[in-house]
Amino acid sequence: MDSQTVSRHAAEPDAPTAGTLKPNALGVLGILFFVLSAQAPLTGIAGAAPIAVALGNGPGVPAAYLVAGLVILLFSVGFVAMGRHVVDAGAFYTYIGKGLGRTTGTGSAGLALFAYCTIQAAMYGLYGAIVSGLVASHTGLDLPWWVWTLATMAVVQALGAAGVEMGAKVLAVFVLAEFSILSVFALVTLFKGGGPEGLGLADSFSPSAALDGAPGVAVMFAVASMFGFEATAIYGEEAREPRKTVPRATYLAVAVVTGFFALVSWMLISSYGASNATAAAGKALEGGDGAGFVFAPIAADFGGWVGDVLPVLLATSLFAGILTFHNSANRYLFSLGRDRLLPLRLCRLNRRHAPWTAGCVQTVLAVLLVVPFALAGKDPVLTLFSWFSGVAVLAMMLLYLLTSVSVVVFFRRARLDTRLWNTLIAPALGALGIAGAIWLILANFTTLIGGERTTALWLTLSVPVVAALGLIAARVRGRTLAAADG
């Protein structure tokens, strides 16, 4: 067996053909912006860092980001090795299917869709609450959060239909804005020697600091902040020279995200002083404004105008993530339709060669996930955002684990790549690290979702239920297709 027989979409035609996404549309930077948008950097820092500092290992949180980055990097080695031989918009489910069998792969597609749709719905909840507050404070127009959420769904649908290049351009603006202000703050703090207690290198990165308090909680939130980097493979069909572009984009994304979160969190802690950071984060959370832990030192350095700009950037950060997950989910639906695992109508493309029908279905799914919370009058941040983000992270970690195992099995069977580090050692170590992350998530799931134990139990059970339903559906669909072809 050679790589040509394994790659289902290896060709890179100059013009798109029926049933294929637009080739040569994205370079390394274009894919990188999609990945960084999925990370929602400002959301990750403002949302996760205060909780990780207050409830985790305090000033040792930056070390937790490095540990999470190392685990993801190990996973990426096998992920990239597989991507050189399998180029498909289905990414995870295709990879898992190649190693663990078509039924397991197809079943995992349901889990992937569940993860992408729930994280997008979670972002819609926080986004709606933030935009509603911003509009009310600046214009006096006080509308419910779900009005802005539904309106944004229409905008996201339109941008998704406009093509992947348009989406990349929009995301580039938003990502650069939030990255710039956080990076400038971190670099200014670094070059001026840190805060009242100096840089505090040992306070944040020494083994004793990393293991202080509850390091598992910090690592859990750090891993959750890495969510979305796998989008590099999803856009493989639309990349220029995917066998070069996707690996470069993957490694660059992991390096940039890990370095960014570690540096910014370190400088945040330094700005308060390592001995004061934990108490400051706890006070911000108790006051119901965790983001204030992040915004306050930035405003102290750059002036009060930052207090007005950062909430806007937080909204655009969420919008960028929402658009990215819309594109990821509709490409999964497109790929499933092309493989005849879902109705072929999902393969319908518009004039810009974007997955039109799949995009519409994804938007409908978003509406179905969000509207019940609006009708029930639930708080969009405490329920929709908190619950669904926790579920999505758990589902995605399970996909990472299955993919790592699949990489090992695939290369032991196919022998397309004989490099032991790339196809056995790194994926196996990555699988162990991801299994540890899953254990940490399960052990601290109530903290992750900010809810009660009963709610946490039901949400946790939803992941294996979705996985089981996916497997059942895959078996039924496989028999149906076999009967039709026979």
PDB file of all heavy atoms in Angstrom, residues 314-351:
ATOM      1  N   LEU A 314     -13.179  41.296  23.695  1.00  0.00           N
ATOM      2  CA  LEU A 314     -13.653  40.008  24.198  1.00  0.00           C
ATOM      3  C   LEU A 314     -14.821  39.520  23.349  1.00  0.00           C
ATOM      4  O   LEU A 314     -14.911  38.328  23.017  1.00  0.00           O
ATOM      5  CB  LEU A 314     -14.075  40.141  25.664  1.00  0.00           C
ATOM      6  CG  LEU A 314     -14.526  38.868  26.379  1.00  0.00           C
ATOM      7  CD1 LEU A 314     -13.461  37.787  26.298  1.00  0.00           C
ATOM      8  CD2 LEU A 314     -14.868  39.165  27.831  1.00  0.00           C
ATOM      9  N   ALA A 315     -15.704  40.435  22.957  1.00  0.00           N
ATOM     10  CA  ALA A 315     -16.832  40.072  22.090  1.00  0.00           C
ATOM     11  C   ALA A 315     -16.342  39.627  20.718  1.00  0.00           C
ATOM     12  O   ALA A 315     -16.815  38.628  20.164  1.00  0.00           O
ATOM     13  CB  ALA A 315     -17.797  41.250  21.959  1.00  0.00           C
ATOM     14  N   THR A 316     -15.375  40.361  20.136  1.00  0.00           N
ATOM     15  CA  THR A 316     -14.862  39.974  18.812  1.00  0.00           C
ATOM     16  C   THR A 316     -14.070  38.679  18.895  1.00  0.00           C
ATOM     17  O   THR A 316     -14.048  37.890  17.944  1.00  0.00           O
ATOM     18  CB  THR A 316     -13.989  41.087  18.212  1.00  0.00           C
ATOM     19  OG1 THR A 316     -12.890  41.372  19.092  1.00  0.00           O
ATOM     20  CG2 THR A 316     -14.794  42.356  17.990  1.00  0.00           C
ATOM     21  N   SER A 317     -13.415  38.441  20.033  1.00  0.00           N
ATOM     22  CA  SER A 317     -12.704  37.184  20.235  1.00  0.00           C
ATOM     23  C   SER A 317     -13.680  36.012  20.179  1.00  0.00           C
ATOM     24  O   SER A 317     -13.421  34.989  19.533  1.00  0.00           O
ATOM     25  CB  SER A 317     -11.988  37.202  21.593  1.00  0.00           C
ATOM     26  OG  SER A 317     -11.444  35.937  21.911  1.00  0.00           O
ATOM     27  N   LEU A 318     -14.808  36.177  20.852  1.00  0.00           N
ATOM     28  CA  LEU A 318     -15.834  35.127  20.831  1.00  0.00           C
ATOM     29  C   LEU A 318     -16.424  34.961  19.438  1.00  0.00           C
ATOM     30  O   LEU A 318     -16.667  33.844  18.979  1.00  0.00           O
ATOM     31  CB  LEU A 318     -16.930  35.466  21.837  1.00  0.00           C
ATOM     32  CG  LEU A 318     -16.534  35.286  23.301  1.00  0.00           C
ATOM     33  CD1 LEU A 318     -17.478  36.051  24.216  1.00  0.00           C
ATOM     34  CD2 LEU A 318     -16.533  33.808  23.671  1.00  0.00           C
ATOM     35  N   PHE A 319     -16.651  36.082  18.745  1.00  0.00           N
ATOM     36  CA  PHE A 319     -17.194  36.003  17.379  1.00  0.00           C
ATOM     37  C   PHE A 319     -16.248  35.226  16.473  1.00  0.00           C
ATOM     38  O   PHE A 319     -16.682  34.395  15.666  1.00  0.00           O
ATOM     39  CB  PHE A 319     -17.420  37.404  16.819  1.00  0.00           C
ATOM     40  CG  PHE A 319     -17.938  37.407  15.405  1.00  0.00           C
ATOM     41  CD1 PHE A 319     -19.292  37.262  15.156  1.00  0.00           C
ATOM     42  CD2 PHE A 319     -17.067  37.536  14.326  1.00  0.00           C
ATOM     43  CE1 PHE A 319     -19.776  37.236  13.850  1.00  0.00           C
ATOM     44  CE2 PHE A 319     -17.535  37.506  13.027  1.00  0.00           C
ATOM     45  CZ  PHE A 319     -18.900  37.360  12.784  1.00  0.00           C
ATOM     46  N   ALA A 320     -14.950  35.487  16.593  1.00  0.00           N
ATOM     47  CA  ALA A 320     -13.973  34.777  15.774  1.00  0.00           C
ATOM     48  C   ALA A 320     -14.013  33.278  16.053  1.00  0.00           C
ATOM     49  O   ALA A 320     -13.961  32.448  15.132  1.00  0.00           O
ATOM     50  CB  ALA A 320     -12.571  35.332  16.044  1.00  0.00           C
ATOM     51  N   GLY A 321     -14.119  32.910  17.336  1.00  0.00           N
ATOM     52  CA  GLY A 321     -14.211  31.495  17.682  1.00  0.00           C
ATOM     53  C   GLY A 321     -15.481  30.858  17.155  1.00  0.00           C
ATOM     54  O   GLY A 321     -15.467  29.727  16.664  1.00  0.00           O
ATOM     55  N   ILE A 322     -16.584  31.586  17.246  1.00  0.00           N
ATOM     56  CA  ILE A 322     -17.867  31.083  16.739  1.00  0.00           C
ATOM     57  C   ILE A 322     -17.781  30.803  15.247  1.00  0.00           C
ATOM     58  O   ILE A 322     -18.230  29.747  14.756  1.00  0.00           O
ATOM     59  CB  ILE A 322     -18.987  32.110  17.034  1.00  0.00           C
ATOM     60  CG1 ILE A 322     -19.324  32.095  18.529  1.00  0.00           C
ATOM     61  CG2 ILE A 322     -20.228  31.826  16.201  1.00  0.00           C
ATOM     62  CD1 ILE A 322     -20.171  33.272  18.975  1.00  0.00           C
ATOM     63  N   LEU A 323     -17.210  31.733  14.485  1.00  0.00           N
ATOM     64  CA  LEU A 323     -17.076  31.553  13.036  1.00  0.00           C
ATOM     65  C   LEU A 323     -16.176  30.364  12.713  1.00  0.00           C
ATOM     66  O   LEU A 323     -16.467  29.576  11.803  1.00  0.00           O
ATOM     67  CB  LEU A 323     -16.521  32.829  12.407  1.00  0.00           C
ATOM     68  CG  LEU A 323     -16.272  32.793  10.894  1.00  0.00           C
ATOM     69  CD1 LEU A 323     -17.557  32.449  10.136  1.00  0.00           C
ATOM     70  CD2 LEU A 323     -15.719  34.139  10.417  1.00  0.00           C
ATOM     71  N   THR A 324     -15.102  30.212  13.461  1.00  0.00           N
ATOM     72  CA  THR A 324     -14.184  29.096  13.229  1.00  0.00           C
ATOM     73  C   THR A 324     -14.870  27.757  13.454  1.00  0.00           C
ATOM     74  O   THR A 324     -14.739  26.828  12.647  1.00  0.00           O
ATOM     75  CB  THR A 324     -12.962  29.208  14.151  1.00  0.00           C
ATOM     76  OG1 THR A 324     -12.244  30.390  13.821  1.00  0.00           O
ATOM     77  CG2 THR A 324     -12.048  28.012  13.993  1.00  0.00           C
ATOM     78  N   PHE A 325     -15.617  27.632  14.541  1.00  0.00           N
ATOM     79  CA  PHE A 325     -16.270  26.356  14.823  1.00  0.00           C
ATOM     80  C   PHE A 325     -17.437  26.095  13.868  1.00  0.00           C
ATOM     81  O   PHE A 325     -17.770  24.942  13.592  1.00  0.00           O
ATOM     82  CB  PHE A 325     -16.707  26.296  16.283  1.00  0.00           C
ATOM     83  CG  PHE A 325     -15.549  26.132  17.226  1.00  0.00           C
ATOM     84  CD1 PHE A 325     -15.253  27.084  18.187  1.00  0.00           C
ATOM     85  CD2 PHE A 325     -14.723  25.015  17.140  1.00  0.00           C
ATOM     86  CE1 PHE A 325     -14.179  26.944  19.036  1.00  0.00           C
ATOM     87  CE2 PHE A 325     -13.637  24.857  17.982  1.00  0.00           C
ATOM     88  CZ  PHE A 325     -13.361  25.830  18.937  1.00  0.00           C
ATOM     89  N   HIS A 326     -18.051  27.164  13.361  1.00  0.00           N
ATOM     90  CA  HIS A 326     -19.059  26.992  12.313  1.00  0.00           C
ATOM     91  C   HIS A 326     -18.413  26.346  11.090  1.00  0.00           C
ATOM     92  O   HIS A 326     -18.936  25.372  10.524  1.00  0.00           O
ATOM     93  CB  HIS A 326     -19.660  28.344  11.939  1.00  0.00           C
ATOM     94  CG  HIS A 326     -20.534  28.301  10.724  1.00  0.00           C
ATOM     95  ND1 HIS A 326     -21.852  27.882  10.759  1.00  0.00           N
ATOM     96  CD2 HIS A 326     -20.283  28.621   9.414  1.00  0.00           C
ATOM     97  CE1 HIS A 326     -22.367  27.933   9.535  1.00  0.00           C
ATOM     98  NE2 HIS A 326     -21.435  28.381   8.703  1.00  0.00           N
ATOM     99  N   ASN A 327     -17.260  26.860  10.688  1.00  0.00           N
ATOM    100  CA  ASN A 327     -16.571  26.311   9.516  1.00  0.00           C
ATOM    101  C   ASN A 327     -16.087  24.886   9.762  1.00  0.00           C
ATOM    102  O   ASN A 327     -16.128  24.046   8.855  1.00  0.00           O
ATOM    103  CB  ASN A 327     -15.382  27.211   9.156  1.00  0.00           C
ATOM    104  CG  ASN A 327     -15.814  28.488   8.462  1.00  0.00           C
ATOM    105  OD1 ASN A 327     -16.771  28.503   7.709  1.00  0.00           O
ATOM    106  ND2 ASN A 327     -15.115  29.576   8.732  1.00  0.00           N
ATOM    107  N   SER A 328     -15.629  24.605  10.970  1.00  0.00           N
ATOM    108  CA  SER A 328     -15.164  23.250  11.285  1.00  0.00           C
ATOM    109  C   SER A 328     -16.315  22.254  11.239  1.00  0.00           C
ATOM    110  O   SER A 328     -16.205  21.176  10.641  1.00  0.00           O
ATOM    111  CB  SER A 328     -14.515  23.231  12.671  1.00  0.00           C
ATOM    112  OG  SER A 328     -13.354  24.034  12.709  1.00  0.00           O
ATOM    113  N   ALA A 329     -17.440  22.603  11.860  1.00  0.00           N
ATOM    114  CA  ALA A 329     -18.582  21.691  11.911  1.00  0.00           C
ATOM    115  C   ALA A 329     -19.184  21.474  10.539  1.00  0.00           C
ATOM    116  O   ALA A 329     -19.548  20.339  10.179  1.00  0.00           O
ATOM    117  CB  ALA A 329     -19.638  22.235  12.871  1.00  0.00           C
ATOM    118  N   ASN A 330     -19.296  22.537   9.729  1.00  0.00           N
ATOM    119  CA  ASN A 330     -19.933  22.318   8.429  1.00  0.00           C
ATOM    120  C   ASN A 330     -19.036  21.497   7.499  1.00  0.00           C
ATOM    121  O   ASN A 330     -19.533  20.805   6.608  1.00  0.00           O
ATOM    122  CB  ASN A 330     -20.395  23.636   7.782  1.00  0.00           C
ATOM    123  CG  ASN A 330     -19.289  24.552   7.346  1.00  0.00           C
ATOM    124  OD1 ASN A 330     -18.198  24.142   6.990  1.00  0.00           O
ATOM    125  ND2 ASN A 330     -19.583  25.848   7.356  1.00  0.00           N
ATOM    126  N   ARG A 331     -17.734  21.517   7.706  1.00  0.00           N
ATOM    127  CA  ARG A 331     -16.856  20.663   6.910  1.00  0.00           C
ATOM    128  C   ARG A 331     -16.951  19.208   7.338  1.00  0.00           C
ATOM    129  O   ARG A 331     -16.790  18.304   6.522  1.00  0.00           O
ATOM    130  CB  ARG A 331     -15.413  21.193   6.976  1.00  0.00           C
ATOM    131  CG  ARG A 331     -15.215  22.321   5.974  1.00  0.00           C
ATOM    132  CD  ARG A 331     -14.131  23.309   6.328  1.00  0.00           C
ATOM    133  NE  ARG A 331     -14.023  24.333   5.293  1.00  0.00           N
ATOM    134  CZ  ARG A 331     -14.868  25.355   5.142  1.00  0.00           C
ATOM    135  NH1 ARG A 331     -15.910  25.479   5.960  1.00  0.00           N
ATOM    136  NH2 ARG A 331     -14.715  26.231   4.174  1.00  0.00           N
ATOM    137  N   TYR A 332     -17.217  18.981   8.605  1.00  0.00           N
ATOM    138  CA  TYR A 332     -17.491  17.614   9.043  1.00  0.00           C
ATOM    139  C   TYR A 332     -18.774  17.102   8.391  1.00  0.00           C
ATOM    140  O   TYR A 332     -18.828  15.971   7.882  1.00  0.00           O
ATOM    141  CB  TYR A 332     -17.622  17.565  10.571  1.00  0.00           C
ATOM    142  CG  TYR A 332     -16.384  17.053  11.258  1.00  0.00           C
ATOM    143  CD1 TYR A 332     -15.358  17.920  11.613  1.00  0.00           C
ATOM    144  CD2 TYR A 332     -16.216  15.699  11.535  1.00  0.00           C
ATOM    145  CE1 TYR A 332     -14.208  17.464  12.237  1.00  0.00           C
ATOM    146  CE2 TYR A 332     -15.076  15.232  12.163  1.00  0.00           C
ATOM    147  CZ  TYR A 332     -14.076  16.115  12.509  1.00  0.00           C
ATOM    148  OH  TYR A 332     -12.941  15.652  13.111  1.00  0.00           O
ATOM    149  N   LEU A 333     -19.811  17.915   8.413  1.00  0.00           N
ATOM    150  CA  LEU A 333     -21.077  17.512   7.797  1.00  0.00           C
ATOM    151  C   LEU A 333     -20.896  17.274   6.301  1.00  0.00           C
ATOM    152  O   LEU A 333     -21.424  16.301   5.743  1.00  0.00           O
ATOM    153  CB  LEU A 333     -22.130  18.596   8.036  1.00  0.00           C
ATOM    154  CG  LEU A 333     -22.629  18.731   9.474  1.00  0.00           C
ATOM    155  CD1 LEU A 333     -23.411  20.029   9.647  1.00  0.00           C
ATOM    156  CD2 LEU A 333     -23.510  17.539   9.853  1.00  0.00           C
ATOM    157  N   PHE A 334     -20.144  18.147   5.647  1.00  0.00           N
ATOM    158  CA  PHE A 334     -19.866  17.996   4.214  1.00  0.00           C
ATOM    159  C   PHE A 334     -19.158  16.668   3.940  1.00  0.00           C
ATOM    160  O   PHE A 334     -19.524  15.918   3.036  1.00  0.00           O
ATOM    161  CB  PHE A 334     -19.002  19.164   3.737  1.00  0.00           C
ATOM    162  CG  PHE A 334     -18.410  18.989   2.371  1.00  0.00           C
ATOM    163  CD1 PHE A 334     -19.129  19.359   1.245  1.00  0.00           C
ATOM    164  CD2 PHE A 334     -17.135  18.452   2.207  1.00  0.00           C
ATOM    165  CE1 PHE A 334     -18.581  19.190  -0.027  1.00  0.00           C
ATOM    166  CE2 PHE A 334     -16.585  18.287   0.945  1.00  0.00           C
ATOM    167  CZ  PHE A 334     -17.311  18.658  -0.172  1.00  0.00           C
ATOM    168  N   SER A 335     -18.135  16.376   4.746  1.00  0.00           N
ATOM    169  CA  SER A 335     -17.363  15.150   4.548  1.00  0.00           C
ATOM    170  C   SER A 335     -18.211  13.905   4.796  1.00  0.00           C
ATOM    171  O   SER A 335     -18.112  12.917   4.057  1.00  0.00           O
ATOM    172  CB  SER A 335     -16.151  15.154   5.483  1.00  0.00           C
ATOM    173  OG  SER A 335     -15.311  14.048   5.228  1.00  0.00           O
ATOM    174  N   LEU A 336     -19.073  13.951   5.810  1.00  0.00           N
ATOM    175  CA  LEU A 336     -19.951  12.816   6.087  1.00  0.00           C
ATOM    176  C   LEU A 336     -20.948  12.596   4.953  1.00  0.00           C
ATOM    177  O   LEU A 336     -21.285  11.459   4.608  1.00  0.00           O
ATOM    178  CB  LEU A 336     -20.683  13.037   7.410  1.00  0.00           C
ATOM    179  CG  LEU A 336     -19.830  12.894   8.673  1.00  0.00           C
ATOM    180  CD1 LEU A 336     -20.565  13.456   9.874  1.00  0.00           C
ATOM    181  CD2 LEU A 336     -19.471  11.430   8.904  1.00  0.00           C
ATOM    182  N   GLY A 337     -21.424  13.693   4.367  1.00  0.00           N
ATOM    183  CA  GLY A 337     -22.315  13.564   3.228  1.00  0.00           C
ATOM    184  C   GLY A 337     -21.605  12.983   2.028  1.00  0.00           C
ATOM    185  O   GLY A 337     -22.143  12.122   1.314  1.00  0.00           O
ATOM    186  N   ARG A 338     -20.388  13.433   1.779  1.00  0.00           N
ATOM    187  CA  ARG A 338     -19.615  12.930   0.639  1.00  0.00           C
ATOM    188  C   ARG A 338     -19.320  11.442   0.796  1.00  0.00           C
ATOM    189  O   ARG A 338     -19.257  10.696  -0.191  1.00  0.00           O
ATOM    190  CB  ARG A 338     -18.310  13.720   0.520  1.00  0.00           C
ATOM    191  CG  ARG A 338     -17.458  13.337  -0.677  1.00  0.00           C
ATOM    192  CD  ARG A 338     -16.295  14.292  -0.842  1.00  0.00           C
ATOM    193  NE  ARG A 338     -15.461  14.335   0.365  1.00  0.00           N
ATOM    194  CZ  ARG A 338     -14.509  15.241   0.564  1.00  0.00           C
ATOM    195  NH1 ARG A 338     -14.294  16.184  -0.350  1.00  0.00           N
ATOM    196  NH2 ARG A 338     -13.794  15.229   1.675  1.00  0.00           N
ATOM    197  N   ASP A 339     -19.133  10.992   2.031  1.00  0.00           N
ATOM    198  CA  ASP A 339     -18.874   9.575   2.289  1.00  0.00           C
ATOM    199  C   ASP A 339     -20.159   8.748   2.382  1.00  0.00           C
ATOM    200  O   ASP A 339     -20.108   7.575   2.754  1.00  0.00           O
ATOM    201  CB  ASP A 339     -18.077   9.417   3.582  1.00  0.00           C
ATOM    202  CG  ASP A 339     -16.643   9.909   3.442  1.00  0.00           C
ATOM    203  OD1 ASP A 339     -16.200  10.107   2.295  1.00  0.00           O
ATOM    204  OD2 ASP A 339     -15.980  10.123   4.474  1.00  0.00           O
ATOM    205  N   ARG A 340     -21.287   9.391   2.103  1.00  0.00           N
ATOM    206  CA  ARG A 340     -22.612   8.746   2.099  1.00  0.00           C
ATOM    207  C   ARG A 340     -23.041   8.268   3.488  1.00  0.00           C
ATOM    208  O   ARG A 340     -23.904   7.400   3.621  1.00  0.00           O
ATOM    209  CB  ARG A 340     -22.661   7.574   1.115  1.00  0.00           C
ATOM    210  CG  ARG A 340     -22.474   7.984  -0.339  1.00  0.00           C
ATOM    211  CD  ARG A 340     -22.902   6.876  -1.276  1.00  0.00           C
ATOM    212  NE  ARG A 340     -22.142   5.664  -1.042  1.00  0.00           N
ATOM    213  CZ  ARG A 340     -22.511   4.453  -1.486  1.00  0.00           C
ATOM    214  NH1 ARG A 340     -23.649   4.320  -2.149  1.00  0.00           N
ATOM    215  NH2 ARG A 340     -21.762   3.404  -1.256  1.00  0.00           N
ATOM    216  N   LEU A 341     -22.446   8.849   4.518  1.00  0.00           N
ATOM    217  CA  LEU A 341     -22.829   8.509   5.882  1.00  0.00           C
ATOM    218  C   LEU A 341     -23.960   9.399   6.368  1.00  0.00           C
ATOM    219  O   LEU A 341     -24.621   9.090   7.348  1.00  0.00           O
ATOM    220  CB  LEU A 341     -21.619   8.635   6.806  1.00  0.00           C
ATOM    221  CG  LEU A 341     -20.461   7.692   6.441  1.00  0.00           C
ATOM    222  CD1 LEU A 341     -19.219   8.039   7.232  1.00  0.00           C
ATOM    223  CD2 LEU A 341     -20.860   6.239   6.664  1.00  0.00           C
ATOM    224  N   LEU A 342     -24.163  10.521   5.695  1.00  0.00           N
ATOM    225  CA  LEU A 342     -25.300  11.403   5.885  1.00  0.00           C
ATOM    226  C   LEU A 342     -25.841  11.722   4.497  1.00  0.00           C
ATOM    227  O   LEU A 342     -25.197  11.406   3.486  1.00  0.00           O
ATOM    228  CB  LEU A 342     -24.870  12.687   6.622  1.00  0.00           C
ATOM    229  CG  LEU A 342     -24.551  12.550   8.121  1.00  0.00           C
ATOM    230  CD1 LEU A 342     -24.068  13.891   8.668  1.00  0.00           C
ATOM    231  CD2 LEU A 342     -25.753  12.056   8.914  1.00  0.00           C
ATOM    232  N   PRO A 343     -27.020  12.330   4.392  1.00  0.00           N
ATOM    233  CA  PRO A 343     -27.592  12.613   3.063  1.00  0.00           C
ATOM    234  C   PRO A 343     -26.623  13.362   2.149  1.00  0.00           C
ATOM    235  O   PRO A 343     -25.900  14.264   2.564  1.00  0.00           O
ATOM    236  CB  PRO A 343     -28.816  13.476   3.393  1.00  0.00           C
ATOM    237  CG  PRO A 343     -29.216  13.025   4.765  1.00  0.00           C
ATOM    238  CD  PRO A 343     -27.939  12.728   5.472  1.00  0.00           C
ATOM    239  N   LEU A 344     -26.612  12.968   0.869  1.00  0.00           N
ATOM    240  CA  LEU A 344     -25.709  13.561  -0.109  1.00  0.00           C
ATOM    241  C   LEU A 344     -25.951  15.059  -0.304  1.00  0.00           C
ATOM    242  O   LEU A 344     -25.068  15.779  -0.786  1.00  0.00           O
ATOM    243  CB  LEU A 344     -25.870  12.850  -1.461  1.00  0.00           C
ATOM    244  CG  LEU A 344     -25.202  11.465  -1.566  1.00  0.00           C
ATOM    245  CD1 LEU A 344     -25.625  10.787  -2.857  1.00  0.00           C
ATOM    246  CD2 LEU A 344     -23.687  11.596  -1.496  1.00  0.00           C
ATOM    247  N   ARG A 345     -27.136  15.531   0.075  1.00  0.00           N
ATOM    248  CA  ARG A 345     -27.430  16.966  -0.082  1.00  0.00           C
ATOM    249  C   ARG A 345     -26.451  17.836   0.714  1.00  0.00           C
ATOM    250  O   ARG A 345     -26.257  19.012   0.399  1.00  0.00           O
ATOM    251  CB  ARG A 345     -28.858  17.255   0.371  1.00  0.00           C
ATOM    252  CG  ARG A 345     -29.935  16.728  -0.575  1.00  0.00           C
ATOM    253  CD  ARG A 345     -31.312  17.248  -0.188  1.00  0.00           C
ATOM    254  NE  ARG A 345     -31.713  16.768   1.125  1.00  0.00           N
ATOM    255  CZ  ARG A 345     -32.306  15.600   1.350  1.00  0.00           C
ATOM    256  NH1 ARG A 345     -32.554  14.786   0.330  1.00  0.00           N
ATOM    257  NH2 ARG A 345     -32.666  15.248   2.569  1.00  0.00           N
ATOM    258  N   LEU A 346     -25.844  17.260   1.752  1.00  0.00           N
ATOM    259  CA  LEU A 346     -24.879  18.012   2.547  1.00  0.00           C
ATOM    260  C   LEU A 346     -23.617  18.354   1.752  1.00  0.00           C
ATOM    261  O   LEU A 346     -22.822  19.184   2.174  1.00  0.00           O
ATOM    262  CB  LEU A 346     -24.504  17.231   3.805  1.00  0.00           C
ATOM    263  CG  LEU A 346     -25.604  17.102   4.858  1.00  0.00           C
ATOM    264  CD1 LEU A 346     -25.178  16.141   5.955  1.00  0.00           C
ATOM    265  CD2 LEU A 346     -25.925  18.472   5.458  1.00  0.00           C
ATOM    266  N   CYS A 347     -23.427  17.710   0.610  1.00  0.00           N
ATOM    267  CA  CYS A 347     -22.265  17.984  -0.234  1.00  0.00           C
ATOM    268  C   CYS A 347     -22.494  19.183  -1.153  1.00  0.00           C
ATOM    269  O   CYS A 347     -21.584  19.577  -1.887  1.00  0.00           O
ATOM    270  CB  CYS A 347     -21.932  16.782  -1.109  1.00  0.00           C
ATOM    271  SG  CYS A 347     -21.415  15.345  -0.185  1.00  0.00           S
ATOM    272  N   ARG A 348     -23.688  19.748  -1.114  1.00  0.00           N
ATOM    273  CA  ARG A 348     -23.993  20.831  -2.051  1.00  0.00           C
ATOM    274  C   ARG A 348     -23.134  22.051  -1.740  1.00  0.00           C
ATOM    275  O   ARG A 348     -23.071  22.515  -0.604  1.00  0.00           O
ATOM    276  CB  ARG A 348     -25.482  21.179  -1.953  1.00  0.00           C
ATOM    277  CG  ARG A 348     -25.954  22.167  -3.009  1.00  0.00           C
ATOM    278  CD  ARG A 348     -27.457  22.328  -2.939  1.00  0.00           C
ATOM    279  NE  ARG A 348     -28.131  21.059  -3.188  1.00  0.00           N
ATOM    280  CZ  ARG A 348     -29.401  20.831  -2.907  1.00  0.00           C
ATOM    281  NH1 ARG A 348     -30.138  21.765  -2.343  1.00  0.00           N
ATOM    282  NH2 ARG A 348     -29.942  19.657  -3.169  1.00  0.00           N
ATOM    283  N   LEU A 349     -22.477  22.578  -2.764  1.00  0.00           N
ATOM    284  CA  LEU A 349     -21.608  23.744  -2.632  1.00  0.00           C
ATOM    285  C   LEU A 349     -22.219  24.924  -3.368  1.00  0.00           C
ATOM    286  O   LEU A 349     -22.946  24.759  -4.348  1.00  0.00           O
ATOM    287  CB  LEU A 349     -20.224  23.447  -3.209  1.00  0.00           C
ATOM    288  CG  LEU A 349     -19.495  22.221  -2.641  1.00  0.00           C
ATOM    289  CD1 LEU A 349     -18.212  21.970  -3.423  1.00  0.00           C
ATOM    290  CD2 LEU A 349     -19.176  22.419  -1.173  1.00  0.00           C
ATOM    291  N   ASN A 350     -21.913  26.125  -2.893  1.00  0.00           N
ATOM    292  CA  ASN A 350     -22.402  27.309  -3.593  1.00  0.00           C
ATOM    293  C   ASN A 350     -21.377  27.769  -4.632  1.00  0.00           C
ATOM    294  O   ASN A 350     -20.375  27.092  -4.881  1.00  0.00           O
ATOM    295  CB  ASN A 350     -22.742  28.428  -2.600  1.00  0.00           C
ATOM    296  CG  ASN A 350     -21.520  28.899  -1.810  1.00  0.00           C
ATOM    297  OD1 ASN A 350     -20.378  28.600  -2.149  1.00  0.00           O
ATOM    298  ND2 ASN A 350     -21.760  29.637  -0.728  1.00  0.00           N
ATOM    299  N   ARG A 351     -21.600  28.941  -5.224  1.00  0.00           N
ATOM    300  CA  ARG A 351     -20.717  29.409  -6.294  1.00  0.00           C
ATOM    301  C   ARG A 351     -19.299  29.685  -5.808  1.00  0.00           C
ATOM    302  O   ARG A 351     -18.358  29.676  -6.591  1.00  0.00           O
ATOM    303  CB  ARG A 351     -21.302  30.686  -6.908  1.00  0.00           C
ATOM    304  CG  ARG A 351     -22.601  30.438  -7.685  1.00  0.00           C
ATOM    305  CD  ARG A 351     -23.124  31.730  -8.284  1.00  0.00           C
ATOM    306  NE  ARG A 351     -24.367  31.498  -9.014  1.00  0.00           N
ATOM    307  CZ  ARG A 351     -25.052  32.466  -9.626  1.00  0.00           C
ATOM    308  NH1 ARG A 351     -24.612  33.722  -9.567  1.00  0.00           N
ATOM    309  NH2 ARG A 351     -26.164  32.181 -10.276  1.00  0.00           N
TER     310      ARG A 351
END
